[in-house]
Amino acid sequence: MTGPADTVHGLPPLHLAVALDGAGWHPAAWRAEGARPGELFTAGYWAGLVTEAEHGLLDLVTFEDALAVQSVSLRGPDERTDQVRGRLDAVLIASRVAPLTSRIGLVPTTNVTHTEPLHLSAALATLDRAGHGRAGWRPQISARADDAAHFGRRPPATLREDDLGSPETISARLAPLFDDAAEVLATVRRLWDGHRPALPVTVLAHARIPYELAARGGDVVFVTPHSPADAAAVLTEVAAAATAVARPADRPLKVFADLLVLLDERPGEAARQKARLDDLDGAPLASDAEVFTGTPAELADLLLAWHAVDTAGLRLDGFRLRPARLPHDLLAITRALVPELQRRGAFRTAYTSHTLHGHLGLPAGSPRWA
Amino acid sequence: MSAQQIHLAVLPPVADDPGPDGLAGLTRLARTAERGGFDFLLLPESAPPGPEVLTALGALAATTTRLGLAAGLGPVGRQPYELARRLASLDHLSGGRAAWSVTPGPEGPAVGALRHAASPPDADRPAHAAEFLRAARTLWDSWAEDDVPADPDGGVFVRPGAGAFTHRGEHFALDGRFTTPRAPQGHPVVVRTVASARDLDPAAADADVVIVPFTGLEEARRIRQDLAGRLAAHGRSPDGLRILSAVGYALGETPSAARDGAADVTGTPRQVADALTAQVRGGGPDGFLLTPHPASGPLEDFVDLVVPLLQADGAHRTLYAGTTLRDHLGLAQARRPSRENAV
C-alpha cells in the first residue's frame, strides 16, 4: 500500500524522526514544566519517550551519545552545574527499549574514533536482533582532547581557534578523522556481511567532507539547513558529494533536515517559553540546526514547504526533529504535529512495515559495499 | 529464614546459530531462571553470530525484573573507560542487576582484528586484568550518590567536579570526567572464575562472586578455607565473597535413568536437591552455577522439579526479597570513599 502522501499531496512520503537527548535540546530543558530531571538515568524514562514516539508512527528515534561529559566548551569539561551532565550508553538504552516496542527504528549514536569496529558491529547486530530488524546506527567522530585522555591516547587532531569559524574549516582540520571514520564504517559493514540486511547507517553532516562520509558509508544524512533556499543548496552539495565519491545511483542517499523545535498550541507561547528557558540558562539557545518556535500547525506548514523544495529533482526525504523539552515537545509532535500532517495527507496513518529498512524505503537486500 | 540459602545462577548454552527469533531463546531461559528465583544469568562472550553480551543483557533487562545479568567479558582489547561506562549503564537500566564476569578474554584472530589493540603479553594478563578492574572501580567511584540533585528550583542539576577521575598504572594512564552517574549498586557485581590455583588470589583480591569447579565436599570446604585466608590477607571480610560451584547435572525419573558419567551431579530431582543442599549446608560453596550439559535437559526441568524441593526444605527463596543483584547475593552496596577522602 502506498501512503496517502502519494495520492493527496503529490509528494513522496514524508519521513519523520525524533532525536532524543537527555531532558531535551534546550540546555535549560530540565527546568521546564513537566520535565523529569530526576529520571534521566532510568529505563522508565527512555521507555516512555520511545513508546510515545512509536504511538506517533515515527520512522525512528536517534539516541545522542558522547564519551565526554556534556560541556559548553569544545576544549573539555566546563564547571556548569545548571545544565544536564551525565549520560547512559546509547546502544544499551536502545536495547533496553527494543523489547518494549515493535515498530519504531532505534538508532543509537556511537563514537567511532576511539571504539573498536569489531565490538560496534557485534553490539549493533545484536540490537537489530533484539529489535527484529529495527536497529540503525549513527557513527560520530570525536576530536576532543578529553575523549582521547579517557583512553590514555593523544588527541587525533586538534581544532585551533581560527578553525571554529565554519563547518567547512572545522571539517577540513578534522579530515583525517573523517577518513578514519569511513574506514570504520567500511569495516563494520564488512563484519555485517553475515547479517542481512545491513543496518541503516545515518550521519549528521554540516559540510562537504562529512557529506562525503555519509555518501561513502551512509544510508541517511541528517543536514541542518536554515531556510528552503538553504535546503536547496545543501541538497545540491550532498548530491555533489555522492558524485565525488562515486556512490552508485541505485543507492540513493536519503536526506533528512534537522530542526530544533519548541511547540505549543497557543500562538506565541512557544517563543515565550523559549525566552524563559534562555533566561534561566543565561544565553539564547544556540544550535547547529534551525530553531523553530510555534504551533504544531505552523511547524506542519514549514515542513511541507521545505519538503516541497525541488532543486533539479533533489528533495528532502524527511526531517529529524530535536525536541527542545522532553517530554513536552515530543508529545506535541506525536499528538498534534503528526495528526496535522495526517489531515493534510502528508504522513502515514499506520506503519506499513516492521523494519527500519521498510520504513525508510531502503532495499531489504544486503548490498555489498566497496 | 534460618536455614542456609542456596544461591543459584545459570550459564546458558552457546547457540551456534541464533536463528530467526531474535533473542527469544535467551529471553525464555532468563525468564525461567527468574521464575526459579535464581540470583543471576551469566552470559558468556561468543563470536558472532552469537549475541554481543552487554547489548543482549540490555534487552533482557526489559523482559525480566529481578534476575541478575552478568556479562562475561575479557579485558583484553577493551578499554576501562568504555567498558565501565557500559556496565554502569546496564546497572542503571536494569535497576541494579548488572554484573561483570572477568574472563580471560579473546585470543588470536579476535584480538588481531582490533584497531587499537594493545594486548598485553600472556604473562601480564592477570596483572592487566587486575589493573583494568581497579581503573573501572575508580570510574564507578567518580560520581557520588548525591552528585545529581537535579533540583530545578535551586537550579542545580549536578555537583561540581562530579565524575572527575585519574588512574595511573602499568597498563593504563587515564584521566578526565566519567559520563555515567553512580550506578544503583555502586559497583556492578564482579565475578571471577577460578580454573586453577593461581586464580584464587586475584579472585580473593577483587571479586564479589567466585566460580569454582565442582568438587567433593571435602575439597569444597578446603577451597572455602583457602579463600577465607586470602580474603583476610587482602583485608576483606569473609562475608564479602560468594562462592558458587559450577555444576553440570542430569535429572532422571529414577536414579538409573539419570545415569550419566560426565555430569557432576546425577539423579532424581530429590537426589539432586539433596546433593546440592548437602554441599552448601556442609560448609562447601554458597551455591551453584548451573552449566550446560547434554544430559541436563531444559532449565525448565530444574526449575519445575528441583527448585520446589529446595524451597520446601527452606533452602531456596520463594520470592526475591530485594531488587538488586547485591540484595540477592546478600552483598553490601559498594561504598564510595567520601569526596573529602577521594580528592
Side-chain angles (χ1 to χ4, degrees):
Chain A
M1 154 186 152
T2 52
D6 289 316
T7 51
V8 179
H9 213 71
L11 292 178
L14 178 72
H15 297 284
L16 273 186
V18 159
L20 298 176
D21 186 18
W25 288 76
H26 195 293
W30 69 277
R31 302 164 80 173
E33 205 176 317
R36 298 176 194 149
E39 299 174 25
L40 303 188
F41 310 114
T42 66
Y45 177 75
W46 295 96
L49 296 178
V50 179
T51 50
E52 181 61 34
E54 186 170 71
H55 288 150
L57 307 176
L58 304 187
D59 290 70
L60 61 96
V61 288
T62 60
F63 303 90
E64 295 303 304
D65 203 356
L67 293 170
V69 169
Q70 300 91 326
S71 173
V72 294
S73 160
L74 279 176
R75 308 205 167 284
D78 56 24
E79 296 302 333
R80 294 282 295 251
T81 59
D82 63 338
Q83 296 181 353
V84 170
R85 297 290 179 265
R87 296 179 179 284
L88 304 181
D89 179 83
V91 175
L92 281 172
I93 293 175
S95 72
R96 177 64 177 76
V97 300
L100 308 177
T101 51
S102 60
R103 294 298 191 102
I104 193 161
L106 304 169
V107 182
T109 304
T110 78
N111 180 291
V112 291
T113 303
H114 295 293
T115 51
E116 289 291 345
L118 188 69
H119 299 154
L120 290 174
S121 64
L124 292 160
T126 301
L127 175 64
D128 200 47
R129 274 172 63 188
H132 296 273
R134 293 182 292 123
W137 179 31
R138 184 165 92 79
Q140 178 171 258
I141 64 160
S142 166
R144 286 178 56 156
D146 50 339
D147 273 347
H150 293 152
F151 290 79
R153 295 178 186 145
R154 299 198 157 281
T158 306
L159 284 172
R160 297 179 193 161
E161 210 57 54
D162 54 357
D163 294 331
L164 300 179
S166 80
E168 294 295 344
T169 52
I170 291 172
S171 57
R173 176 70 63 197
L174 302 183
L177 283 182
F178 286 104
D179 285 343
D180 185 62
E183 275 178 42
V184 172
L185 264 61
T187 305
V188 167
R189 285 197 183 274
R190 205 160 47 240
L191 291 164
W192 279 341
D193 262 358
H195 186 93
R196 286 186 180 71
L199 280 63
V201 176
T202 68
V203 176
L204 171 64
H206 307 85
R208 184 184 56 83
I209 291 171
Y211 294 154
E212 289 185 2
L213 172 66
R216 280 156 85 181
D219 299 290
V220 179
V221 58
F222 301 131
V223 298
T224 54
H226 293 272
S227 67
D230 198 14
V234 167
L235 285 163
T236 305
E237 284 183 66
V238 169
T243 305
V245 303
R247 187 182 173 94
D250 61 347
R251 290 210 354 266
L253 179 62
K254 304 275 177 186
V255 185
F256 283 30
D258 273 21
L259 289 164
L260 198 168
V261 300
L262 291 93
L263 300 170
D264 200 290
E265 293 283 4
R266 296 161 289 182
E269 182 60 20
R272 274 191 291 279
Q273 292 289 332
K274 175 180 173 297
R276 184 183 154 264
L277 292 178
D278 287 353
D279 277 351
L280 282 173
D281 195 53
L285 175 62
S287 175
D288 54 329
E290 177 69 7
V291 177
F292 174 88
T293 58
T295 66
E298 287 165 346
L299 179 57
D301 292 342
L302 181 146
L303 298 187
L304 294 181
W306 288 30
H307 190 49
V309 168
D310 179 341
T311 176
L314 302 170
R315 290 177 176 284
L316 291 172
D317 297 284
F319 298 89
R320 185 176 74 142
L321 304 178
R322 306 180 186 178
R325 302 158 292 174
L326 290 170
H328 177 94
D329 292 307
L330 174 64
L331 288 163
I333 290 165
T334 53
R335 303 197 180 188
L337 174 70
V338 163
E340 182 66 32
L341 290 170
Q342 289 167 334
R343 272 193 291 278
R344 303 187 194 188
F347 193 63
R348 66 173 71 91
T349 52
Y351 281 113
T352 55
S353 156
H354 284 83
T355 68
L356 182 52
H357 277 88
H359 302 335
L360 294 172
L362 296 171
S366 175
R368 293 266 164 176
W369 289 70
Chain B
M1 251 187 287
S2 52
Q4 190 168 0
Q5 295 288 294
I6 296 180
H7 294 276
L8 291 174
V10 64
L11 183 76
V14 174
D16 295 330
D17 178 2
D21 63 346
L23 300 175
L26 200 52
T27 303
R28 203 159 44 238
L29 184 92
R31 285 178 166 159
T32 302
E34 186 164 82
R35 181 161 62 81
F38 281 42
D39 287 13
F40 63 91
L41 172 149
L42 197 173
L43 189 58
E45 191 165 17
S46 60
E52 193 280 321
V53 168
L54 278 164
T55 311
L57 294 179
L60 292 184
T63 50
T64 58
T65 60
R66 290 291 181 271
L67 184 69
L69 304 166
L73 288 168
V76 176
R78 292 197 160 80
Q79 289 290 329
Y81 190 90
E82 193 193 10
L83 186 54
R85 180 175 196 271
R86 299 187 75 212
L87 286 161
S89 295
L90 179 64
D91 205 47
H92 280 284
L93 292 167
S94 64
R97 296 188 281 139
W100 177 25
S101 174
V102 186
T103 58
E107 315 263 350
V111 171
L114 300 174
R115 297 175 81 219
H116 299 284
S119 177
D122 285 353
D124 281 358
R125 282 191 172 197
H128 174 266
E131 189 190 327
F132 193 113
L133 181 52
R134 276 200 306 283
R137 291 195 190 278
T138 298
L139 293 162
W140 291 330
D141 278 338
S142 66
W143 290 68
E145 277 157 41
D146 58 356
D147 268 347
V148 188
D151 167 24
D153 299 328
V156 178
F157 185 85
V158 66
R159 296 210 194 281
F165 70 91
T166 299
H167 171 88
R168 291 280 178 273
E170 283 282 304
H171 296 91
F172 304 101
L174 317 172
D175 50 63
R177 298 286 178 96
F178 192 47
T179 45
T180 305
R182 190 169 184 80
Q185 294 187 102
H187 297 189
V189 168
V190 171
V191 182
R192 285 220 189 231
T193 298
V194 168
S196 70
R198 67 170 182 201
D199 298 331
L200 285 164
D201 208 57
D206 60 24
D208 301 301
V209 173
V210 57
I211 312 288
V212 300
F214 185 83
T215 62
L217 182 55
E218 280 310 309
E219 177 66 3
R221 282 190 183 130
R222 203 195 56 72
I223 291 172
R224 173 176 286 282
Q225 279 165 9
D226 179 294
L227 281 166
R230 291 173 194 270
L231 283 169
H234 287 286
R236 298 181 63 194
S237 149
D239 199 40
L241 182 70
R242 294 288 163 273
I243 303 169
L244 301 190
S245 167
V247 61
Y249 65 94
L251 294 178
E253 295 287 314
T254 64
S256 61
R259 197 170 47 232
D260 184 305
D264 299 309
V265 175
T266 66
T268 64
R270 179 78 261 167
Q271 288 171 319
V272 169
D274 288 347
L276 300 183
T277 309
Q279 284 238 338
V280 171
R281 293 193 174 157
D286 297 300
F288 300 91
L289 174 72
L290 306 186
T291 58
H293 185 272
S296 301
L299 185 66
E300 278 85 351
D301 286 355
F302 187 94
V303 166
D304 290 337
L305 302 174
V306 180
V307 165
L309 301 176
L310 297 174
Q311 289 168 330
D313 295 344
H316 187 63
R317 66 171 66 92
T318 49
L319 288 171
Y320 289 99
T323 58
T324 71
L325 178 53
R326 284 181 186 276
D327 291 340
H328 307 337
L329 291 164
L331 294 169
Q333 166 106 350
R335 292 284 163 213
R336 176 183 192 271
S338 72
R339 174 138 297 161
E340 289 67 36
N341 298 336
V343 175

